[in-house]
Amino acid sequence: DAKTTQPPSMDCAEGRAANLPCNHSTISGNEYVYWYRQIHSQGPQYIIHGLKNNETNEMASLIITEDRKSSTLILPHATLRDTAVYYCIVFSGNTPLVFGKGTRLSVIA
Amino acid sequence: DSGVTQTPKHLITATGQRVTLRCSPRSGDLSVYWYQQSLDQGLQFLIQYYNGEERAKGNILERFSAQQFPDLHSELNLSSLELGDSALYFCASSVTGQDPYNEQFFGPGTRLTVL
């Protein structure tokens, strides 16, 4: 079972920041927070991951709370091509990735 | 483009038949994973190989088997196919397969339709 809780769906206006929340209150000290997205029926696409510190790459930013019980994925300027299902996953490396139901993000023009 | 390739893209077959799905990992990646995505089950982990050896097993049916070859490509064999095996099958690869900081990269998938 997935160890994360995400809202089933969210809307975001094109050009605005999309903030996708994730709760992982039972995360262990050696588990990373990973984010993937799946556009339509394509293969899941890696976005970003982090352990404790906030992370940023060319796609997104990941903000992890100090207690590590929740995190937020930020897409700074959402475009229509960002419409997808976003998965938040906690991962230790010793178990496979467990995908939950994710958040369906709809970017609206 | 993730660098992971899968063939074929689409496969249509009949119940009772056997098929083989193929995956080539990214250059340098030693670990290969197989996932199944059906409408009612979501993305489910099937099996992982690392450098030719089975590393982890998920909810893989006994009718399914996989292997990783010396050149690191992998094949997933599905036999005695049933209607319920219709799904998208994804392959992913990562550098080591044991470290939590090495991400998995997914291929485009094979869509299997069993009639």
Side-chain angles (χ1 to χ4, degrees):
Chain A
D1 289 341
K3 294 176 64 175
T4 61
T5 304
Q6 300 177 252
S9 64
M10 292 181 64
D11 291 339
C12 178
E14 190 178 20
R16 305 298 288 265
N19 296 284
L20 291 92
C22 179
N23 285 323
H24 31 80
S25 58
T26 60
I27 192 170
S28 302
N30 64 340
E31 288 180 316
Y32 281 64
V33 178
Y34 269 76
W35 284 84
Y36 282 81
R37 73 180 182 184
Q38 188 173 23
I39 298 171
H40 195 44
S41 295
Q42 298 176 22
Q45 178 187 24
Y46 164 78
I47 301 173
I48 198 167
H49 71 280
L51 182 62
K52 297 179 189 176
N53 300 320
N54 299 337
E55 302 286 345
T56 296
N57 63 21
E58 65 279 1
M59 286 185 69
S61 295
L62 173 61
I63 309 297
I64 303 174
T65 58
E66 197 168 335
D67 63 7
R68 302 210 323 124
K69 292 185 177 182
S70 66
S71 61
T72 301
L73 178 74
I74 301 173
L75 307 179
H77 306 286
T79 71
L80 298 178
R81 284 177 294 184
D82 293 320
T83 292
V85 178
Y86 287 77
Y87 298 97
C88 170
I89 302 168
V90 294
F91 179 60
S92 68
N94 293 322
T95 55
L97 288 174
V98 178
F99 288 81
K101 296 190 185 306
T103 296
R104 184 173 297 277
L105 175 69
S106 298
V107 180
I108 303 164
Chain B
D1 183 1
S2 67
V4 178
T5 60
Q6 291 186 248
T7 55
K9 287 186 74 171
H10 301 277
L11 201 47
I12 301 175
T13 189
T15 54
Q17 295 297 304
R18 172 190 169 96
V19 296
T20 298
L21 313 184
R22 182 188 168 100
C23 168
S24 292
R26 293 188 322 153
S27 177
D29 284 0
L30 298 177
S31 200
V32 168
Y33 310 77
W34 286 97
Y35 294 82
Q36 178 192 56
Q37 186 173 34
S38 56
L39 280 174
D40 56 344
Q41 292 290 325
L43 262 163
Q44 301 277 317
F45 167 74
L46 294 178
I47 198 164
Q48 176 197 0
Y49 278 82
Y50 172 73
N51 205 20
E53 300 288 327
E54 182 183 303
R55 169 69 63 83
K57 225 170 186 176
N59 297 325
I60 187 166
L61 299 172
E62 283 192 17
R63 301 183 285 109
F64 296 1
S65 65
Q67 54 184 325
Q68 186 179 27
F69 294 87
D71 67 352
L72 301 178
H73 91 271
S74 178
E75 292 181 355
L76 179 67
N77 301 295
L78 316 176
S79 61
S80 302
L81 285 167
E82 302 175 359
L83 296 178
D85 298 327
S86 295
L88 275 166
Y89 291 84
F90 291 106
C91 168
S93 73
S94 68
V95 173
T96 62
Q98 197 169 15
D99 304 314
Y101 43 83
N102 284 311
E103 57 269 32
Q104 293 180 28
F105 292 91
F106 284 75
T110 292
R111 182 177 292 278
L112 173 67
T113 303
V114 182
L115 301 175

PDB file of all heavy atoms in Angstrom, chain B residues 78-115:
ATOM      1  N   LEU B  78       4.755 -13.720 -20.790  1.00  0.00           N
ATOM      2  CA  LEU B  78       3.399 -13.885 -20.256  1.00  0.00           C
ATOM      3  C   LEU B  78       2.775 -15.070 -20.976  1.00  0.00           C
ATOM      4  O   LEU B  78       2.700 -15.083 -22.211  1.00  0.00           O
ATOM      5  CB  LEU B  78       2.561 -12.625 -20.491  1.00  0.00           C
ATOM      6  CG  LEU B  78       3.237 -11.271 -20.189  1.00  0.00           C
ATOM      7  CD1 LEU B  78       2.311 -10.118 -20.569  1.00  0.00           C
ATOM      8  CD2 LEU B  78       3.617 -11.165 -18.721  1.00  0.00           C
ATOM      9  N   SER B  79       2.321 -16.068 -20.224  1.00  0.00           N
ATOM     10  CA  SER B  79       1.775 -17.259 -20.858  1.00  0.00           C
ATOM     11  C   SER B  79       0.348 -17.522 -20.381  1.00  0.00           C
ATOM     12  O   SER B  79      -0.111 -16.919 -19.404  1.00  0.00           O
ATOM     13  CB  SER B  79       2.659 -18.472 -20.568  1.00  0.00           C
ATOM     14  OG  SER B  79       2.712 -18.712 -19.170  1.00  0.00           O
ATOM     15  N   SER B  80      -0.316 -18.427 -21.088  1.00  0.00           N
ATOM     16  CA  SER B  80      -1.714 -18.787 -20.784  1.00  0.00           C
ATOM     17  C   SER B  80      -2.528 -17.519 -20.547  1.00  0.00           C
ATOM     18  O   SER B  80      -3.225 -17.377 -19.537  1.00  0.00           O
ATOM     19  CB  SER B  80      -1.778 -19.702 -19.568  1.00  0.00           C
ATOM     20  OG  SER B  80      -1.015 -20.864 -19.770  1.00  0.00           O
ATOM     21  N   LEU B  81      -2.440 -16.620 -21.501  1.00  0.00           N
ATOM     22  CA  LEU B  81      -3.012 -15.288 -21.309  1.00  0.00           C
ATOM     23  C   LEU B  81      -4.517 -15.318 -21.084  1.00  0.00           C
ATOM     24  O   LEU B  81      -5.245 -16.129 -21.683  1.00  0.00           O
ATOM     25  CB  LEU B  81      -2.670 -14.404 -22.497  1.00  0.00           C
ATOM     26  CG  LEU B  81      -1.219 -13.912 -22.518  1.00  0.00           C
ATOM     27  CD1 LEU B  81      -0.879 -13.308 -23.869  1.00  0.00           C
ATOM     28  CD2 LEU B  81      -0.990 -12.900 -21.402  1.00  0.00           C
ATOM     29  N   GLU B  82      -4.951 -14.438 -20.189  1.00  0.00           N
ATOM     30  CA  GLU B  82      -6.369 -14.273 -19.872  1.00  0.00           C
ATOM     31  C   GLU B  82      -6.785 -12.848 -20.222  1.00  0.00           C
ATOM     32  O   GLU B  82      -5.937 -11.963 -20.356  1.00  0.00           O
ATOM     33  CB  GLU B  82      -6.597 -14.555 -18.387  1.00  0.00           C
ATOM     34  CG  GLU B  82      -6.152 -15.929 -17.960  1.00  0.00           C
ATOM     35  CD  GLU B  82      -6.269 -16.155 -16.450  1.00  0.00           C
ATOM     36  OE1 GLU B  82      -6.681 -15.200 -15.741  1.00  0.00           O
ATOM     37  OE2 GLU B  82      -5.938 -17.257 -15.996  1.00  0.00           O
ATOM     38  N   LEU B  83      -8.086 -12.645 -20.323  1.00  0.00           N
ATOM     39  CA  LEU B  83      -8.604 -11.306 -20.651  1.00  0.00           C
ATOM     40  C   LEU B  83      -8.078 -10.268 -19.662  1.00  0.00           C
ATOM     41  O   LEU B  83      -7.763  -9.140 -20.032  1.00  0.00           O
ATOM     42  CB  LEU B  83     -10.127 -11.311 -20.651  1.00  0.00           C
ATOM     43  CG  LEU B  83     -10.808 -12.180 -21.709  1.00  0.00           C
ATOM     44  CD1 LEU B  83     -12.329 -12.119 -21.544  1.00  0.00           C
ATOM     45  CD2 LEU B  83     -10.425 -11.733 -23.115  1.00  0.00           C
ATOM     46  N   GLY B  84      -7.986 -10.672 -18.410  1.00  0.00           N
ATOM     47  CA  GLY B  84      -7.562  -9.746 -17.362  1.00  0.00           C
ATOM     48  C   GLY B  84      -6.101  -9.348 -17.425  1.00  0.00           C
ATOM     49  O   GLY B  84      -5.659  -8.475 -16.676  1.00  0.00           O
ATOM     50  N   ASP B  85      -5.345  -9.976 -18.305  1.00  0.00           N
ATOM     51  CA  ASP B  85      -3.932  -9.598 -18.463  1.00  0.00           C
ATOM     52  C   ASP B  85      -3.776  -8.398 -19.381  1.00  0.00           C
ATOM     53  O   ASP B  85      -2.669  -7.861 -19.512  1.00  0.00           O
ATOM     54  CB  ASP B  85      -3.122 -10.771 -19.020  1.00  0.00           C
ATOM     55  CG  ASP B  85      -3.121 -11.970 -18.093  1.00  0.00           C
ATOM     56  OD1 ASP B  85      -3.149 -11.774 -16.855  1.00  0.00           O
ATOM     57  OD2 ASP B  85      -3.104 -13.114 -18.604  1.00  0.00           O
ATOM     58  N   SER B  86      -4.851  -7.986 -20.011  1.00  0.00           N
ATOM     59  CA  SER B  86      -4.802  -6.794 -20.858  1.00  0.00           C
ATOM     60  C   SER B  86      -4.416  -5.600 -19.998  1.00  0.00           C
ATOM     61  O   SER B  86      -5.075  -5.302 -18.991  1.00  0.00           O
ATOM     62  CB  SER B  86      -6.167  -6.540 -21.504  1.00  0.00           C
ATOM     63  OG  SER B  86      -6.495  -7.581 -22.386  1.00  0.00           O
ATOM     64  N   ALA B  87      -3.347  -4.932 -20.384  1.00  0.00           N
ATOM     65  CA  ALA B  87      -2.819  -3.837 -19.572  1.00  0.00           C
ATOM     66  C   ALA B  87      -1.667  -3.179 -20.307  1.00  0.00           C
ATOM     67  O   ALA B  87      -1.233  -3.641 -21.366  1.00  0.00           O
ATOM     68  CB  ALA B  87      -2.309  -4.359 -18.216  1.00  0.00           C
ATOM     69  N   LEU B  88      -1.195  -2.089 -19.712  1.00  0.00           N
ATOM     70  CA  LEU B  88       0.066  -1.489 -20.143  1.00  0.00           C
ATOM     71  C   LEU B  88       1.186  -2.107 -19.303  1.00  0.00           C
ATOM     72  O   LEU B  88       1.057  -2.200 -18.080  1.00  0.00           O
ATOM     73  CB  LEU B  88       0.047   0.018 -19.903  1.00  0.00           C
ATOM     74  CG  LEU B  88      -0.586   0.904 -20.974  1.00  0.00           C
ATOM     75  CD1 LEU B  88      -0.833   2.301 -20.419  1.00  0.00           C
ATOM     76  CD2 LEU B  88       0.289   0.967 -22.204  1.00  0.00           C
ATOM     77  N   TYR B  89       2.247  -2.495 -19.937  1.00  0.00           N
ATOM     78  CA  TYR B  89       3.395  -3.056 -19.229  1.00  0.00           C
ATOM     79  C   TYR B  89       4.577  -2.113 -19.435  1.00  0.00           C
ATOM     80  O   TYR B  89       4.989  -1.851 -20.549  1.00  0.00           O
ATOM     81  CB  TYR B  89       3.722  -4.461 -19.738  1.00  0.00           C
ATOM     82  CG  TYR B  89       2.652  -5.452 -19.343  1.00  0.00           C
ATOM     83  CD1 TYR B  89       1.504  -5.604 -20.110  1.00  0.00           C
ATOM     84  CD2 TYR B  89       2.785  -6.213 -18.183  1.00  0.00           C
ATOM     85  CE1 TYR B  89       0.507  -6.485 -19.737  1.00  0.00           C
ATOM     86  CE2 TYR B  89       1.799  -7.106 -17.807  1.00  0.00           C
ATOM     87  CZ  TYR B  89       0.652  -7.233 -18.579  1.00  0.00           C
ATOM     88  OH  TYR B  89      -0.334  -8.113 -18.192  1.00  0.00           O
ATOM     89  N   PHE B  90       5.094  -1.626 -18.300  1.00  0.00           N
ATOM     90  CA  PHE B  90       6.204  -0.686 -18.344  1.00  0.00           C
ATOM     91  C   PHE B  90       7.471  -1.335 -17.815  1.00  0.00           C
ATOM     92  O   PHE B  90       7.450  -2.104 -16.850  1.00  0.00           O
ATOM     93  CB  PHE B  90       5.917   0.557 -17.497  1.00  0.00           C
ATOM     94  CG  PHE B  90       4.844   1.435 -18.058  1.00  0.00           C
ATOM     95  CD1 PHE B  90       3.580   1.463 -17.471  1.00  0.00           C
ATOM     96  CD2 PHE B  90       5.092   2.245 -19.158  1.00  0.00           C
ATOM     97  CE1 PHE B  90       2.575   2.284 -17.977  1.00  0.00           C
ATOM     98  CE2 PHE B  90       4.098   3.071 -19.671  1.00  0.00           C
ATOM     99  CZ  PHE B  90       2.833   3.076 -19.082  1.00  0.00           C
ATOM    100  N   CYS B  91       8.556  -0.978 -18.436  1.00  0.00           N
ATOM    101  CA  CYS B  91       9.882  -1.344 -17.961  1.00  0.00           C
ATOM    102  C   CYS B  91      10.542  -0.066 -17.465  1.00  0.00           C
ATOM    103  O   CYS B  91      10.322   1.020 -18.019  1.00  0.00           O
ATOM    104  CB  CYS B  91      10.665  -1.954 -19.114  1.00  0.00           C
ATOM    105  SG  CYS B  91      12.416  -2.152 -18.827  1.00  0.00           S
ATOM    106  N   ALA B  92      11.324  -0.186 -16.410  1.00  0.00           N
ATOM    107  CA  ALA B  92      12.094   0.951 -15.908  1.00  0.00           C
ATOM    108  C   ALA B  92      13.512   0.474 -15.630  1.00  0.00           C
ATOM    109  O   ALA B  92      13.749  -0.727 -15.449  1.00  0.00           O
ATOM    110  CB  ALA B  92      11.469   1.520 -14.640  1.00  0.00           C
ATOM    111  N   SER B  93      14.451   1.399 -15.609  1.00  0.00           N
ATOM    112  CA  SER B  93      15.819   1.027 -15.259  1.00  0.00           C
ATOM    113  C   SER B  93      16.425   2.064 -14.335  1.00  0.00           C
ATOM    114  O   SER B  93      15.990   3.219 -14.287  1.00  0.00           O
ATOM    115  CB  SER B  93      16.683   0.854 -16.520  1.00  0.00           C
ATOM    116  OG  SER B  93      16.997   2.085 -17.128  1.00  0.00           O
ATOM    117  N   SER B  94      17.400   1.624 -13.567  1.00  0.00           N
ATOM    118  CA  SER B  94      18.146   2.542 -12.708  1.00  0.00           C
ATOM    119  C   SER B  94      19.587   2.069 -12.630  1.00  0.00           C
ATOM    120  O   SER B  94      19.905   0.936 -13.004  1.00  0.00           O
ATOM    121  CB  SER B  94      17.527   2.643 -11.311  1.00  0.00           C
ATOM    122  OG  SER B  94      17.678   1.431 -10.612  1.00  0.00           O
ATOM    123  N   VAL B  95      20.432   2.941 -12.094  1.00  0.00           N
ATOM    124  CA  VAL B  95      21.863   2.650 -12.101  1.00  0.00           C
ATOM    125  C   VAL B  95      22.168   1.406 -11.293  1.00  0.00           C
ATOM    126  O   VAL B  95      22.809   0.467 -11.773  1.00  0.00           O
ATOM    127  CB  VAL B  95      22.659   3.853 -11.559  1.00  0.00           C
ATOM    128  CG1 VAL B  95      24.123   3.492 -11.413  1.00  0.00           C
ATOM    129  CG2 VAL B  95      22.493   5.050 -12.481  1.00  0.00           C
ATOM    130  N   THR B  96      21.698   1.380 -10.046  1.00  0.00           N
ATOM    131  CA  THR B  96      22.066   0.257  -9.182  1.00  0.00           C
ATOM    132  C   THR B  96      20.862  -0.565  -8.739  1.00  0.00           C
ATOM    133  O   THR B  96      20.930  -1.756  -8.629  1.00  0.00           O
ATOM    134  CB  THR B  96      22.783   0.745  -7.914  1.00  0.00           C
ATOM    135  OG1 THR B  96      21.898   1.586  -7.177  1.00  0.00           O
ATOM    136  CG2 THR B  96      24.049   1.494  -8.261  1.00  0.00           C
ATOM    137  N   GLY B  97      19.744   0.100  -8.452  1.00  0.00           N
ATOM    138  CA  GLY B  97      18.572  -0.637  -8.016  1.00  0.00           C
ATOM    139  C   GLY B  97      18.506  -0.885  -6.538  1.00  0.00           C
ATOM    140  O   GLY B  97      17.631  -1.570  -6.058  1.00  0.00           O
ATOM    141  N   GLN B  98      19.439  -0.360  -5.791  1.00  0.00           N
ATOM    142  CA  GLN B  98      19.386  -0.560  -4.344  1.00  0.00           C
ATOM    143  C   GLN B  98      19.447   0.759  -3.587  1.00  0.00           C
ATOM    144  O   GLN B  98      19.070   0.846  -2.441  1.00  0.00           O
ATOM    145  CB  GLN B  98      20.546  -1.442  -3.914  1.00  0.00           C
ATOM    146  CG  GLN B  98      20.379  -2.042  -2.536  1.00  0.00           C
ATOM    147  CD  GLN B  98      21.396  -3.103  -2.258  1.00  0.00           C
ATOM    148  OE1 GLN B  98      22.398  -3.210  -2.959  1.00  0.00           O
ATOM    149  NE2 GLN B  98      21.169  -3.916  -1.258  1.00  0.00           N
ATOM    150  N   ASP B  99      19.963   1.760  -4.242  1.00  0.00           N
ATOM    151  CA  ASP B  99      20.111   3.038  -3.583  1.00  0.00           C
ATOM    152  C   ASP B  99      18.839   3.839  -3.702  1.00  0.00           C
ATOM    153  O   ASP B  99      18.234   3.885  -4.762  1.00  0.00           O
ATOM    154  CB  ASP B  99      21.259   3.832  -4.230  1.00  0.00           C
ATOM    155  CG  ASP B  99      22.545   3.049  -4.209  1.00  0.00           C
ATOM    156  OD1 ASP B  99      22.858   2.499  -3.153  1.00  0.00           O
ATOM    157  OD2 ASP B  99      23.201   2.985  -5.256  1.00  0.00           O
ATOM    158  N   PRO B 100      18.439   4.520  -2.625  1.00  0.00           N
ATOM    159  CA  PRO B 100      17.226   5.317  -2.691  1.00  0.00           C
ATOM    160  C   PRO B 100      17.406   6.619  -3.452  1.00  0.00           C
ATOM    161  O   PRO B 100      16.443   7.292  -3.753  1.00  0.00           O
ATOM    162  CB  PRO B 100      16.915   5.592  -1.219  1.00  0.00           C
ATOM    163  CG  PRO B 100      18.247   5.551  -0.544  1.00  0.00           C
ATOM    164  CD  PRO B 100      19.044   4.507  -1.283  1.00  0.00           C
ATOM    165  N   TYR B 101      18.649   6.986  -3.747  1.00  0.00           N
ATOM    166  CA  TYR B 101      18.866   8.276  -4.403  1.00  0.00           C
ATOM    167  C   TYR B 101      19.052   8.143  -5.902  1.00  0.00           C
ATOM    168  O   TYR B 101      19.346   9.114  -6.585  1.00  0.00           O
ATOM    169  CB  TYR B 101      20.064   9.000  -3.785  1.00  0.00           C
ATOM    170  CG  TYR B 101      21.261   8.127  -3.510  1.00  0.00           C
ATOM    171  CD1 TYR B 101      22.166   7.826  -4.516  1.00  0.00           C
ATOM    172  CD2 TYR B 101      21.466   7.604  -2.249  1.00  0.00           C
ATOM    173  CE1 TYR B 101      23.245   7.013  -4.253  1.00  0.00           C
ATOM    174  CE2 TYR B 101      22.550   6.791  -1.980  1.00  0.00           C
ATOM    175  CZ  TYR B 101      23.442   6.492  -2.986  1.00  0.00           C
ATOM    176  OH  TYR B 101      24.508   5.689  -2.721  1.00  0.00           O
ATOM    177  N   ASN B 102      18.922   6.925  -6.428  1.00  0.00           N
ATOM    178  CA  ASN B 102      19.019   6.740  -7.877  1.00  0.00           C
ATOM    179  C   ASN B 102      17.634   6.508  -8.442  1.00  0.00           C
ATOM    180  O   ASN B 102      17.008   5.482  -8.190  1.00  0.00           O
ATOM    181  CB  ASN B 102      19.918   5.548  -8.215  1.00  0.00           C
ATOM    182  CG  ASN B 102      21.372   5.901  -8.034  1.00  0.00           C
ATOM    183  OD1 ASN B 102      21.830   6.934  -8.520  1.00  0.00           O
ATOM    184  ND2 ASN B 102      22.100   5.062  -7.333  1.00  0.00           N
ATOM    185  N   GLU B 103      17.182   7.458  -9.227  1.00  0.00           N
ATOM    186  CA  GLU B 103      15.826   7.392  -9.744  1.00  0.00           C
ATOM    187  C   GLU B 103      15.677   6.307 -10.805  1.00  0.00           C
ATOM    188  O   GLU B 103      16.641   5.892 -11.438  1.00  0.00           O
ATOM    189  CB  GLU B 103      15.425   8.754 -10.327  1.00  0.00           C
ATOM    190  CG  GLU B 103      16.331   9.273 -11.416  1.00  0.00           C
ATOM    191  CD  GLU B 103      17.461  10.132 -10.890  1.00  0.00           C
ATOM    192  OE1 GLU B 103      17.946   9.889  -9.757  1.00  0.00           O
ATOM    193  OE2 GLU B 103      17.879  11.052 -11.619  1.00  0.00           O
ATOM    194  N   GLN B 104      14.439   5.871 -10.982  1.00  0.00           N
ATOM    195  CA  GLN B 104      14.096   4.935 -12.039  1.00  0.00           C
ATOM    196  C   GLN B 104      13.573   5.709 -13.240  1.00  0.00           C
ATOM    197  O   GLN B 104      12.790   6.653 -13.090  1.00  0.00           O
ATOM    198  CB  GLN B 104      13.010   3.961 -11.565  1.00  0.00           C
ATOM    199  CG  GLN B 104      13.474   3.013 -10.473  1.00  0.00           C
ATOM    200  CD  GLN B 104      12.393   2.064 -10.037  1.00  0.00           C
ATOM    201  OE1 GLN B 104      11.499   1.719 -10.809  1.00  0.00           O
ATOM    202  NE2 GLN B 104      12.468   1.609  -8.802  1.00  0.00           N
ATOM    203  N   PHE B 105      13.993   5.281 -14.421  1.00  0.00           N
ATOM    204  CA  PHE B 105      13.521   5.884 -15.659  1.00  0.00           C
ATOM    205  C   PHE B 105      12.674   4.860 -16.402  1.00  0.00           C
ATOM    206  O   PHE B 105      13.087   3.716 -16.573  1.00  0.00           O
ATOM    207  CB  PHE B 105      14.706   6.340 -16.511  1.00  0.00           C
ATOM    208  CG  PHE B 105      15.453   7.488 -15.897  1.00  0.00           C
ATOM    209  CD1 PHE B 105      16.518   7.265 -15.046  1.00  0.00           C
ATOM    210  CD2 PHE B 105      15.077   8.792 -16.149  1.00  0.00           C
ATOM    211  CE1 PHE B 105      17.204   8.327 -14.446  1.00  0.00           C
ATOM    212  CE2 PHE B 105      15.750   9.859 -15.572  1.00  0.00           C
ATOM    213  CZ  PHE B 105      16.807   9.621 -14.715  1.00  0.00           C
ATOM    214  N   PHE B 106      11.504   5.314 -16.818  1.00  0.00           N
ATOM    215  CA  PHE B 106      10.526   4.413 -17.410  1.00  0.00           C
ATOM    216  C   PHE B 106      10.535   4.472 -18.928  1.00  0.00           C
ATOM    217  O   PHE B 106      10.747   5.536 -19.524  1.00  0.00           O
ATOM    218  CB  PHE B 106       9.117   4.767 -16.918  1.00  0.00           C
ATOM    219  CG  PHE B 106       8.844   4.307 -15.520  1.00  0.00           C
ATOM    220  CD1 PHE B 106       9.386   4.974 -14.438  1.00  0.00           C
ATOM    221  CD2 PHE B 106       8.034   3.200 -15.283  1.00  0.00           C
ATOM    222  CE1 PHE B 106       9.137   4.551 -13.138  1.00  0.00           C
ATOM    223  CE2 PHE B 106       7.770   2.771 -13.994  1.00  0.00           C
ATOM    224  CZ  PHE B 106       8.325   3.441 -12.918  1.00  0.00           C
ATOM    225  N   GLY B 107      10.267   3.323 -19.539  1.00  0.00           N
ATOM    226  CA  GLY B 107      10.082   3.272 -20.974  1.00  0.00           C
ATOM    227  C   GLY B 107       8.673   3.677 -21.371  1.00  0.00           C
ATOM    228  O   GLY B 107       7.838   3.952 -20.499  1.00  0.00           O
ATOM    229  N   PRO B 108       8.392   3.684 -22.665  1.00  0.00           N
ATOM    230  CA  PRO B 108       7.084   4.129 -23.153  1.00  0.00           C
ATOM    231  C   PRO B 108       5.983   3.099 -22.975  1.00  0.00           C
ATOM    232  O   PRO B 108       4.813   3.428 -23.142  1.00  0.00           O
ATOM    233  CB  PRO B 108       7.340   4.393 -24.636  1.00  0.00           C
ATOM    234  CG  PRO B 108       8.477   3.491 -24.976  1.00  0.00           C
ATOM    235  CD  PRO B 108       9.326   3.402 -23.752  1.00  0.00           C
ATOM    236  N   GLY B 109       6.344   1.866 -22.647  1.00  0.00           N
ATOM    237  CA  GLY B 109       5.341   0.853 -22.375  1.00  0.00           C
ATOM    238  C   GLY B 109       4.969   0.004 -23.576  1.00  0.00           C
ATOM    239  O   GLY B 109       5.194   0.377 -24.729  1.00  0.00           O
ATOM    240  N   THR B 110       4.410  -1.172 -23.281  1.00  0.00           N
ATOM    241  CA  THR B 110       3.803  -2.049 -24.284  1.00  0.00           C
ATOM    242  C   THR B 110       2.345  -2.226 -23.892  1.00  0.00           C
ATOM    243  O   THR B 110       2.044  -2.606 -22.754  1.00  0.00           O
ATOM    244  CB  THR B 110       4.488  -3.428 -24.315  1.00  0.00           C
ATOM    245  OG1 THR B 110       5.822  -3.291 -24.806  1.00  0.00           O
ATOM    246  CG2 THR B 110       3.710  -4.388 -25.211  1.00  0.00           C
ATOM    247  N   ARG B 111       1.456  -1.917 -24.830  1.00  0.00           N
ATOM    248  CA  ARG B 111       0.028  -2.113 -24.572  1.00  0.00           C
ATOM    249  C   ARG B 111      -0.365  -3.486 -25.063  1.00  0.00           C
ATOM    250  O   ARG B 111      -0.308  -3.762 -26.256  1.00  0.00           O
ATOM    251  CB  ARG B 111      -0.814  -1.047 -25.257  1.00  0.00           C
ATOM    252  CG  ARG B 111      -2.309  -1.206 -24.965  1.00  0.00           C
ATOM    253  CD  ARG B 111      -3.131  -0.098 -25.590  1.00  0.00           C
ATOM    254  NE  ARG B 111      -2.891   1.205 -24.992  1.00  0.00           N
ATOM    255  CZ  ARG B 111      -3.451   1.627 -23.874  1.00  0.00           C
ATOM    256  NH1 ARG B 111      -4.272   0.839 -23.207  1.00  0.00           N
ATOM    257  NH2 ARG B 111      -3.187   2.834 -23.405  1.00  0.00           N
ATOM    258  N   LEU B 112      -0.765  -4.344 -24.115  1.00  0.00           N
ATOM    259  CA  LEU B 112      -1.183  -5.700 -24.435  1.00  0.00           C
ATOM    260  C   LEU B 112      -2.699  -5.790 -24.393  1.00  0.00           C
ATOM    261  O   LEU B 112      -3.314  -5.400 -23.397  1.00  0.00           O
ATOM    262  CB  LEU B 112      -0.584  -6.702 -23.435  1.00  0.00           C
ATOM    263  CG  LEU B 112      -1.073  -8.143 -23.565  1.00  0.00           C
ATOM    264  CD1 LEU B 112      -0.598  -8.752 -24.886  1.00  0.00           C
ATOM    265  CD2 LEU B 112      -0.609  -8.978 -22.383  1.00  0.00           C
ATOM    266  N   THR B 113      -3.274  -6.296 -25.464  1.00  0.00           N
ATOM    267  CA  THR B 113      -4.716  -6.528 -25.528  1.00  0.00           C
ATOM    268  C   THR B 113      -4.930  -8.008 -25.764  1.00  0.00           C
ATOM    269  O   THR B 113      -4.434  -8.564 -26.745  1.00  0.00           O
ATOM    270  CB  THR B 113      -5.370  -5.720 -26.650  1.00  0.00           C
ATOM    271  OG1 THR B 113      -5.094  -4.327 -26.457  1.00  0.00           O
ATOM    272  CG2 THR B 113      -6.873  -5.941 -26.672  1.00  0.00           C
ATOM    273  N   VAL B 114      -5.656  -8.632 -24.850  1.00  0.00           N
ATOM    274  CA  VAL B 114      -5.971 -10.056 -24.978  1.00  0.00           C
ATOM    275  C   VAL B 114      -7.447 -10.179 -25.347  1.00  0.00           C
ATOM    276  O   VAL B 114      -8.325  -9.675 -24.624  1.00  0.00           O
ATOM    277  CB  VAL B 114      -5.671 -10.812 -23.666  1.00  0.00           C
ATOM    278  CG1 VAL B 114      -5.959 -12.295 -23.845  1.00  0.00           C
ATOM    279  CG2 VAL B 114      -4.224 -10.603 -23.241  1.00  0.00           C
ATOM    280  N   LEU B 115      -7.717 -10.814 -26.476  1.00  0.00           N
ATOM    281  CA  LEU B 115      -9.100 -10.921 -26.964  1.00  0.00           C
ATOM    282  C   LEU B 115      -9.660 -12.329 -26.726  1.00  0.00           C
ATOM    283  O   LEU B 115      -8.899 -13.294 -26.652  1.00  0.00           O
ATOM    284  CB  LEU B 115      -9.152 -10.582 -28.447  1.00  0.00           C
ATOM    285  CG  LEU B 115      -8.660  -9.170 -28.815  1.00  0.00           C
ATOM    286  CD1 LEU B 115      -8.660  -9.009 -30.326  1.00  0.00           C
ATOM    287  CD2 LEU B 115      -9.540  -8.101 -28.175  1.00  0.00           C
TER     288      LEU B 115
END
